[in-house]
Amino acid sequence: MLQKIMAINAGSSSLKFQLFSMPDEQVITKGMIERIGKQDAFFSIQYGKQKHRETFAVENHQQAVDHLLSALLDHEIIKSLDEIAGVGHRVAHGGEAFSDSACIDAAALQQIEHLGTLAPLHNPVNAIGIRAFMEALPHAKAVAVFDTSFHQTMPPETFLYALPYRYYQEQGIRRYGFHGTSHKYVSQKCAEKLSTPLSDLRLISCHLGNGSSLCAIQHGRSVNTSMGFTPLAGVMMGTRCGDIDPSIMPYLAKQENKSADELNALINNESGLLGISGVSNDYRDVEQAAKDGNERAQLALKMFAERIRAFIGSYIAHMGGLDALIFTGGIGENSRTARAAICHALEYLGIALDETRNNANETFIQQDSGQVKIAVINTNEELMIARDVMRV
Ligand code: ADP
């Protein structure tokens, strides 16, 4: 029997949605509400070939949800709210409590809110979105899909930082990792395209977007990932610095008298591609500036690729080999120059990019002689959320 399942991604001022027919995985409608909290919030919805846009005041997430549900009825996308059998919510942080997606009851919701100490910008708004839907659709199953849970399979020698052990026990300070839904989706898709069971594969997934992370996936399980206690760690990103020597923070606190909040803004919002190039956080803009001869933009692109290459080498060592390297996310899916720079001179490791296939954006872009498959796979976190609602 076909069921209608909603996938929700709530941010601090936005709410993205996709309504699926499951299990046939057809998108019935999708869209988003942006600028929640403003007089000129922006609502867009797409169904069939129709696109509808509107601007009006939306005070909070509850109003956004109410508006979305009215729009579904007004446009006759559904006849009754009872048709929506389940709602899957993307939740940033599941801590150690959630090693898989979970049905949301009062206790789970409280736990998600409690984990707000670890993800203060995300979990509280995720919880607001969940509450809003639970109120509007009390009959629908609510499921939380966590960015962190895929990585709960990492062993302690990988997830622990070499700090005094009590900081792990008392404060939960450890590597959690993020982008789990995307890494899981592309790893499954890659195995499907290779017609090989996931349990037989060693994969490295490179999710390269505004936020970027790599994940080493062995037998279908995350064994290492580049993001850490927060989504700041790992590779260089649009505005985030990725891994740096932590001593730089107390040094700058003293030298420039910076507060913890100022340092946090520096490493999260002013660094990365933007900080080095001085041009933009957007990879396309930096690519264009580099083409136009901007040396700092050229340097930023080199640094971006160099850091990713270092993680690839490290994860091959971690897994004792590699069967496929996956590129996904806005940069991974679209930038052939990024993929070429990352794969440059890795033939020794069996990674040999085919220029023609790469330029043609084919799904597999390795040379015929290359031992390691190189795959370009469009991520689909919303579909993964809808699948998890069905599974859970
Ligand atoms: P988010 O992390 O916000 O989901 P995306 O996965 O959409 O981000 O990725 C956004 C990044 O992808 C931006 O840096 C953008 O410049 C880059 N990008 C998108 N399309 C292209 C393209 N055709 N060529 C190069 N970079 C691209």
Side-chain angles (χ1 to χ4, degrees), residues 209-211 282-284 287 329-331 334-335:
N210 278 317
D282 191 283
Y283 196 86
R284 269 168 302 197
E287 260 186 338
I331 302 167
N334 296 301
S335 175

Side-chain angles (χ1 to χ4, degrees), residues 1-13:
M1 193 186 77
L2 294 178
Q3 287 186 309
K4 294 192 175 79
I5 303 291
M6 182 76 93
I8 294 295
N9 186 350
S12 55
S13 65

Side-chain angles (χ1 to χ4, degrees), residues 330-346:
I331 302 167
E333 290 166 24
N334 296 301
S335 175
R336 44 202 160 133
T337 50
R339 294 192 299 255
I342 291 163
C343 293
H344 176 69
L346 295 182

Side-chain angles (χ1 to χ4, degrees), residues 121-142:
L121 297 179
H122 297 105
N123 272 39
V125 277
N126 298 153
I128 291 171
I130 293 171
R131 269 189 209 289
F133 270 97
M134 282 174 116
E135 239 159 72
L137 301 174
H139 62 278
K141 279 259 176 314

Side-chain angles (χ1 to χ4, degrees), residues 27 165 169 174 216 286 363:
V27 177
Y165 197 72
Q169 290 174 304
R174 52 159 285 179
V286 181
T363 303

Side-chain angles (χ1 to χ4, degrees), residues 277 279 282-302 334-338 359:
S277 71
V279 174
D282 191 283
Y283 196 86
R284 269 168 302 197
D285 297 345
V286 181
E287 260 186 338
Q288 189 54 52
K291 246 189 235 158
D292 296 343
N294 182 318
E295 286 180 11
R296 291 247 306 273
Q298 291 165 359
L299 175 63
L301 297 184
K302 278 189 194 155
N334 296 301
S335 175
R336 44 202 160 133
T337 50
N359 290 344

Side-chain angles (χ1 to χ4, degrees), residues 12 20 24 37 88 96 119 146 253 255 280 294 345 349 363 372 381 392:
S12 55
F20 288 90
D24 62 335
E96 291 189 328
F146 301 92
Q255 292 292 318
S280 170
N294 182 318
L349 299 173
T363 303
V372 174
E381 288 162 295
V392 169

